[in-house]
Amino acid sequence: MTGLMGEETVAAQGPDPAAIASVIVAVQSAGIRLETPVETRTGGAGPTDAGMLWIEGFPVTVPTTPSSEYVLRSEDNGAQGLYRHGERLASVTGARRPRFYDRATADGTPYWKIALLHLDSLASTVVQACNYWNTADQCAFCGIGVSLDSGSTVARKTPEQLAEVAVAAKELDGAVDATLTTGSSVAPDRGARYVARCGRAVKDAAGLPVEIQFEPPRELGILDEVHGTGGADAVGIHVETFDPAVLARVAPGKARTGLDTYYRTWERAVALWGRGRVSTYVILGMGEDPDLTVEGCRRAVDIGVYPFVVPLRPVAGSLLADAAPPDAAYTDRVYQKVAAYMTERNMSSADAVAGCARCQACSALNAVQPLLQIGRRPGSAGSGS
């Protein structure tokens, strides 16, 4: 990739972007061993059991693994570095504990039980329940019920609570957007209407761009209704895998919804929200056919959907808790093919505005597209250091 840039440009920007991309891909598979404290997230859904870092300015969530050969160490003057076999690979800025976590609502609910800060992005599961959970249809990779069982969250967040927390997260910790998701519902809207109400409350109170995430509604017209609330700048409608056999094995409920329904839903959503403002998670490392994966990502891009490709992050308490993350060489091959097509089709995270595709911390896809970067965010932007 450095061949696309002059040597003087690379030198001015610091470390070789291709080398940093390789490091990010590696640690998101192998994890890191901590020899210095860093803000982490444990349990539940989302970027779980992970450290939250900026690696050379790139936002990264990475598993924390005591046996990893990649080590995070303290350095002089409070700096941190990432090392492997004694060799320094990159500068790191670790996220600090957000200030708004120390506040509580009038009824005594801690703010951190309502929403969490993932580097610079506020995130909440507004309804911490799913009709698939504890049934034969449970998604094997998901841990939505784990946080609720542990008492680290509340079952249903109100729009008013989320608005209050969003204001504090923006003012105290520099949150730049909000991502609101929900477990799937048996209702025709699959929970989309309520998460849109919550999004509107956050936007009105804090002025943050918002992504809302939900399953394909049973009627496409519901998307028009949700869009009309003005509660979302972007939407995430997550297929998880483009391999039908794997989808049937790891997410039977989603498999019954069917890939064709996802494609139809994305088409309507793109018509409403715009190209690049609709995204879908694509998880690597569940036994999928990589050719089907790349083909599905290309079709999504052609529709206008951002395929947010991520390595499997085994969640404690989920059905895949004991699975191994995919090999870095495998994920890198898929990233390169998907990123190349996105570049060809002129799609980047700059279009996303809000949500996972804007944040990018759980994927290395943006790191392998250096010419389409919005710009590396300095660690100080959200680290408070």
Side-chain angles (χ1 to χ4, degrees):
M1 291 182 187
T2 55
L4 297 173
M5 301 180 180
E7 291 183 4
E8 293 182 1
T9 301
V10 173
Q13 290 184 346
D16 175 9
I20 298 305
S22 179
V23 168
I24 293 172
V25 171
V27 297
Q28 287 194 327
S29 289
I32 59 171
R33 177 160 43 95
L34 299 179
E35 291 186 357
T36 183
V38 68
E39 179 70 11
T40 59
R41 164 87 191 279
T42 303
T48 185
D49 300 329
M52 308 226 175
L53 316 165
W54 281 269
I55 298 178
E56 294 292 347
F58 287 96
V60 182
T61 64
V62 57
T64 54
T65 310
S67 60
S68 178
E69 60 188 5
Y70 295 90
V71 185
L72 183 66
R73 292 176 177 162
S74 295
E75 298 178 328
D76 294 338
N77 301 320
Q80 294 174 314
L82 184 65
Y83 290 79
R84 180 174 179 261
H85 304 318
E87 178 187 359
R88 190 180 191 276
L89 302 177
S91 296
V92 174
T93 303
R96 56 160 175 75
R97 174 182 167 83
R99 295 180 179 91
F100 79 87
Y101 283 11
D102 296 326
R103 292 191 174 185
T105 62
D107 65 2
T109 303
Y111 277 8
W112 58 265
K113 286 192 175 187
I114 296 168
L116 296 171
L117 193 66
H118 300 161
L119 294 171
D120 60 3
S121 186
L122 187 70
S124 179
T125 303
V126 301
V127 177
Q128 198 82 28
C130 178
N131 61 283
Y132 298 147
W133 188 255
N134 280 336
T135 74
D137 289 333
Q138 180 174 327
C139 295
F141 47 79
C142 182
I144 191 170
V146 175
S147 296
L148 191 60
D149 290 343
S150 70
S152 61
T153 188
V154 294
R156 184 181 179 93
K157 292 83 171 179
T158 69
E160 294 77 17
Q161 287 175 325
L162 289 161
E164 181 180 340
V165 173
V167 170
K170 179 181 178 181
E171 293 179 350
L172 297 178
D173 296 287
V176 301
D177 72 351
T179 303
L180 306 179
T181 189
T182 181
S184 187
S185 164
V186 296
D189 70 323
R190 312 298 292 276
R193 290 186 176 105
Y194 185 71
V195 73
R197 279 182 53 204
C198 293
R200 184 57 192 261
V202 167
K203 286 176 62 65
D204 287 347
L208 294 175
V210 174
E211 176 178 279
I212 62 173
Q213 301 175 350
F214 50 85
E215 286 285 275
R218 302 192 190 281
E219 303 169 8
L220 286 178
I222 292 173
L223 291 174
D224 298 76
E225 180 185 336
V226 169
H227 180 262
T229 67
D233 301 279
V235 295
I237 303 170
H238 300 159
V239 71
E240 319 297 356
T241 178
F242 287 107
D243 188 322
V246 173
L247 190 62
R249 173 169 54 81
V250 303
K254 286 176 174 280
R256 281 199 304 279
T257 296
L259 291 176
D260 287 343
T261 298
Y262 278 91
Y263 288 124
R264 287 194 301 270
T265 305
W266 291 336
E267 288 171 351
R268 177 69 70 89
V270 169
L272 293 167
W273 276 276
R275 188 175 183 275
R277 295 197 177 191
V278 181
S279 62
T280 187
Y281 255 74
V282 182
I283 302 173
L284 302 181
M286 300 190 297
E288 68 284 341
D289 181 330
D291 292 334
L292 288 176
T293 301
V294 173
E295 178 186 344
C297 288
R298 287 172 175 165
R299 183 173 173 184
V301 170
D302 286 340
I303 292 171
V305 173
Y306 191 105
F308 191 61
V309 182
V310 300
L312 175 68
R313 185 73 56 81
V315 177
S318 73
L319 300 178
L320 286 177
D322 297 326
D327 179 79
Y330 170 70
T331 59
D332 187 55
R333 286 194 298 272
V334 176
Y335 282 140
Q336 295 289 346
K337 292 178 180 178
V338 175
Y341 193 71
M342 291 172 65
T343 301
E344 178 184 329
R345 300 288 289 163
N346 197 30
M347 176 177 282
S348 81
S349 61
D351 304 317
V353 182
C356 298
R358 196 287 310 169
C359 173
Q360 289 287 321
C362 295
S363 174
L365 188 60
N366 218 33
V368 302
Q369 278 191 294
L371 296 181
L372 289 180
Q373 290 285 356
I374 301 172
R376 292 182 300 151
R377 282 171 280 160
S380 60
S383 67
S385 58

